[in-house]
Amino acid sequence: EIPKNAVKQFWAPEVHKYKGQFYLFASYFSSLTGHRGCAIWRSPSPEGPFVEITDGHITPSEWDAIDGTLYVDEHGEPWMFFVHEWTSTPDKVGRMAVAKLSSDLTRFVSEPKDLFEAKDPEWSNSGCTDGPFIYKTREGQLLMLWSTFLSRDYCVAIARSHDGITDGEWTHDAKVLFSKEMADGKDGGHGMIFTDTVGQMYLSVHSPNKTSQEEKEETVFLPIREENGTLVVER
């Protein structure tokens, strides 16, 4: 069910099963705030209908915010990671942010905190942050897959919380996880991970980022594995 104030830019939906219900996290532009923001819907079934439970954007009304994703920590506490967009920051550099959610996912119970900026990695020359997804390694480190641009091409990078704390310090791997060399010369991003029915993990991305009349965007699945505390795309 689309809220009346949701007028355009319906972006990045993802559905999570949580406490027996299905929760849809998505972004839209609100006519009330004049900004993009993240909201949460709930349904007893993945087929819907999904009804908004956050009374509009859950993210700050003065921010442009997109790409909210759910992470439940080892204590069963829910968190939302999301993009604090470059379009609403003073220096026009995007941030990645996090806030703790109430147990029913209807509101934030902590102030949103910016974790890092797009230009923090040594290799980055972009102000864009996109598409967070959280993966916990066997050793308990949190890896955040996120997207930005590498030499003008969309890619998937890895940030990590060594102590496994969601709102703690995050560092950046020296190499990106996915770049256009891994997908027939087509860039892509907003990486997420799933496991198939026989236990093989896959990285999913949408590719290419820039489309044309001849070349349409599609989903690309790449086999991936955890190795030595990080993720490796199998080639």
Side-chain angles (χ1 to χ4, degrees):
E1 296 182 0
I2 300 174
K4 291 181 179 179
N5 64 298
V7 292
K8 59 181 179 179
Q9 297 170 342
F10 302 100
W11 291 348
E14 56 182 65
V15 174
H16 298 263
K17 189 175 183 181
Y18 173 76
K19 292 188 175 180
Q21 298 280 307
F22 294 88
Y23 292 84
L24 185 147
F25 287 60
S27 312
Y28 63 81
F29 183 94
S30 171
S31 59
L32 296 179
T33 66
H35 287 281
R36 288 181 290 274
C38 303
I40 303 173
W41 290 253
R42 183 177 59 218
S43 173
S45 165
E47 295 181 319
F50 287 87
V51 177
E52 191 179 52
I53 60 172
T54 51
D55 191 25
H57 291 162
I58 194 171
T59 45
S61 59
E62 69 276 13
W63 289 9
D64 281 334
I66 59 172
D67 296 355
T69 191
L70 176 67
Y71 172 70
V72 180
D73 67 19
E74 67 274 18
H75 305 296
E77 302 288 346
W79 299 76
M80 190 175 87
F81 289 84
F82 65 96
V83 169
H84 181 184
E85 282 195 283
W86 64 271
T87 52
S88 62
T89 61
D91 56 3
K92 300 304 178 187
V93 175
R95 276 75 158 157
M96 201 62 76
V98 70
K100 192 174 183 179
L101 288 159
S102 60
S103 60
D104 60 2
L105 308 190
T106 60
R107 58 190 175 88
F108 285 159
V109 293
S110 71
E111 288 297 317
K113 178 182 178 181
D114 288 337
L115 299 174
F116 61 83
E117 299 184 2
K119 292 187 176 180
D120 285 350
E122 292 183 1
W123 47 262
S124 175
N125 57 4
S126 169
C128 175
T129 48
D130 274 346
F133 177 82
I134 304 300
Y135 174 86
K136 190 172 185 177
T137 69
R138 289 187 286 267
E139 289 77 23
Q141 286 191 19
L142 293 185
L143 306 186
M144 182 195 298
L145 277 58
W146 65 288
S147 287
T148 187
F149 289 86
L150 177 66
S151 299
R152 298 186 178 182
D153 294 318
Y154 209 38
C155 66
V156 179
I158 294 178
R160 63 179 64 227
S161 170
H162 292 269
D163 54 12
I165 298 176
T166 52
D167 56 353
E169 181 181 353
W170 290 75
T171 61
H172 299 275
D173 285 12
K175 294 182 179 180
V176 298
L177 176 65
F178 171 84
S179 61
K180 68 178 184 179
E181 290 76 19
M182 300 176 187
D184 299 325
K186 299 177 183 179
D187 70 348
H190 203 138
M192 301 182 77
I193 294 172
F194 70 94
T195 303
D196 72 9
T197 55
V198 296
Q200 172 65 55
M201 285 201 306
Y202 286 89
L203 171 70
S204 67
V205 298
H206 59 75
S207 172
N209 190 52
K210 292 182 180 179
T211 59
S212 65
Q213 195 93 21
E214 299 76 30
E215 193 171 46
K216 303 299 182 184
E217 188 176 48
E218 62 184 4
T219 307
V220 175
F221 301 129
L222 298 162
I224 193 171
R225 69 180 185 274
E226 181 182 334
E227 183 178 278
N228 298 324
T230 193
L231 292 166
V232 179
V233 173
E234 298 176 0
R235 303 180 67 181

